Amino acid sequence: MQNLLSDVSFNEKKWNMNHFKVIILLIVFMSSGNAQGKFGIECKIGQNTTFNSSKIEGGGNGYLIYEVTNENNPSTRSYSFGLMYALNPKFFFKLHVGRHQNGRILSLIQSDDAGGYWEYENADLPYKYLQFTPSMSYRFLDGPLKLPIEIGVSVNKLVNDDDIFFVEIKEYNVDVRMSGGLQYELNNFLFGANLTYSHALSNYLQKDVRGGYLPYQFGIEFSVGYMFK
């Protein structure tokens, strides 16, 4: 049984990374086919609030068990740095790499098989990731003020696994990510402010945790970019 669970976990990781590689190769292929395009760089910083479209119930290992009595929504920050490729003045491909965080604020009751009993009120459970996000962006309007709409897929690799004592999640998780807002172009610089939304494509939780963690986030981000001539 343990071998079967290990095989399933390995296959999920392999599926996530293979799809991520296909997306990157697609961007590179489409970019290389247009000699008129321009390259650029961009950095982003964001503030997000994380919600759960499901419910975490509890878990344990047989000796220690815990029950979740309440969930609250944390506010977290993210930042990333990326490359841009403009097929034309309106249509962009992007690839960002950065640090991302979501999580839960949980109240829990823990007990063990020796009769021990502990209560935790509003325990902060942060999940921190190295995040890879290929995306496509389209800018409406002419002139210096633009209205960009962006959609992408974020691959999240958990980096603080050793710090998680309750509610363990998978090492790799995938979200769909969308944003829209305003962008001001000055010479070759791009200054943007966007509302963002992301949603998990599958349950983040490990097999030994009951319930579901399918996080979605609302936030705001600010960006600064530069297009090379």
Side-chain angles (χ1 to χ4, degrees), residues 15-28:
W15 185 92
N16 288 336
M17 296 309 297
N18 284 343
H19 279 66
F20 178 55
K21 293 175 183 177
V22 168
I23 293 169
I24 294 177
L25 290 174
L26 180 61
I27 291 176
V28 172

Side-chain angles (χ1 to χ4, degrees), residues 42 139 144-148 181-185 190-193 223:
E42 184 179 53
R139 305 192 305 174
L145 188 63
K146 315 289 186 182
L147 295 176
L182 294 174
Q183 186 180 76
Y184 185 77
E185 186 171 353
L190 307 173
F191 303 93
S223 63

Side-chain angles (χ1 to χ4, degrees), residues 3 5 10 14 16 46 57-58 71 73 80 86 92 95 99 104 108 121 124-125 138 144 159 161 170 209 224:
N3 291 336
L5 292 177
F10 175 78
K14 185 176 179 181
N16 288 336
E57 298 176 359
E71 292 187 50
N73 307 314
S80 66
F92 286 65
L95 176 60
R99 295 296 296 267
R104 306 305 294 142
L108 309 102
E121 190 73 19
D124 190 4
L125 277 69
Y138 186 84
V159 295
D161 184 52
K170 299 171 185 175
V209 184
V224 178

Side-chain angles (χ1 to χ4, degrees), residues 66 125 127 161 164-170 204-209:
Y66 61 89
L125 277 69
Y127 302 126
D161 184 52
I164 300 173
F165 296 97
F166 298 104
V167 190
E168 294 184 354
I169 64 173
K170 299 171 185 175
Y204 273 38
L205 295 183
Q206 293 279 19
K207 298 296 185 181
D208 58 351
V209 184

